[in-house]
Amino acid sequence: MPKGEPFKIKMVEPIRLIPREDRERALKEAHYNPFFLRSSDVYIDLLTDSGTGAMSQFQWSAMMLGDESYAGASSYYRLKETVTDITGYEYVIPTHQGRGAEKVAFSQLITRPGMYVLSNMFFDTTRGHVQLAGGRPVDLLIDVPTEEYHPFKGNMDTERLEQFIREHGAENIACIVMTVTNNSAGGQPVSMANIRETYQIARKYGVLVLFDVARYAENCHFIRMREEGYADKHPIDIAREMFSYGDGLMMSAKKDALVNIGGLLAFRDEELFTKVGAAVVPFEGFLTYGGLAGRDLEAMAVGLREALDPDYLAYRVGQVQYLGEMLRNAGIPIQWPVGGHAVFIDAAKFLPHVPWDQFPGHALTLALYLEGGVRAVEVGSLMIGRDPETGENVRGPFEFTRLAIPRRVYTNLHLEDVAETVINAFQKREEIRGVKFAREPKVLRHFTAWFDPA
Ligand code: P71
């Protein structure tokens, strides 16, 4: 097997590491929040793998075919046929990005305040939209320590799921959200067996199952590599089986549809489509464009297929693994095995002297920027936020610093620079301090909060 990337590079964008004094100044000006840094002050940008990938020549050329008709554009039908082919779902609605799909879905499915929405684990915007619609998000992730091997660490705890439905009543549950891969748990995969079992439980009690499939292609790759009976299957066939265990999907197309902007809703039956579709026109736009241009729909249709290519997936997941192995071999505590899109550093172990409510994952993020111009993001108690009822900070199950790898963007030499940065910070870890809020917004606070060193 060749070791190289399954592409060569046709267009380049210069990047550089600015001097240390400039990084200190930039961080202060950003109120110690990496979201406020200018990208030109960042050397290697691992803030997110969302919308930051490189499109292929096939996607760029498909964009020239964009049909910009307001309704019924041919670009929409090309996208719809692709989505139906992969998922089996007949009813497809584009949205401007994942959270557009979430807002539409939860505003219609949460019909009474206080209804529960159950998940293997919500991502932040999904959790935010459940709360904004008056619902109560509940995470039911299996419990495995971060450094302990488990092939499918993103799984739903199906025992607790069934118990919860029994205790609280199916009529009080708006839906189940199956997040694949499980981003908040470290980009960890969910097994086909777990997806099937979740759907069986849901059907037994008449509860709806929606997938959150931002990174479903990476999840299919893990099923192929790790679950018995899937080694010889093409990822698209694994995807088809997976989608058969659900009623619909919400997607941020900025990940596994390999586009810079876009999202999707898709449903198996017309009733659900009609119910949820009612909110699309006022929030997103007409049903066949959902806030996107015709050219965006074309790029998405091509990207959805490219992301299921086995060579691409092996390269993609392999690159994340390469970074993970460099860090693990150096003794850095990380979520193990690494997930599909990012390496998650266990910041609680990296910075044992920083208390959880001074956000060790965020403190380490700031340190990595100062050390090597690498931009990461906190995934932990800062991102989880406060309990809307008590106003108290909720302690998350993990305190992570996430290094998310954009798709087809950086080379392995860049990742070696990243590893060196993390290792250097590890050697000086005692000097790294926690943070406190200087300004704290109510919803999705991590995006726009200001901080001071604690
Ligand atoms: C990610 C993001 C987006 C993000 C979050 C925090 C900082 C920077 C960027 C978005 C997701 C996701 C899952 C599983 C829905 C969304 C929302 N992830 N579900 O991980 O991971 O999609 O961004 O298109 O609205 O960096 P959207």
Side-chain angles (χ1 to χ4, degrees), residues 216-229:
Y216 81 103
E218 290 163 11
N219 202 79
C220 291
H221 177 77
F222 282 114
I223 289 175
R224 185 158 171 253
M225 294 294 127
R226 296 185 186 165
E227 196 161 349
E228 219 190 301

Side-chain angles (χ1 to χ4, degrees), residues 159 199 265 307:
E159 237 167 74
Y199 193 50
L265 283 166

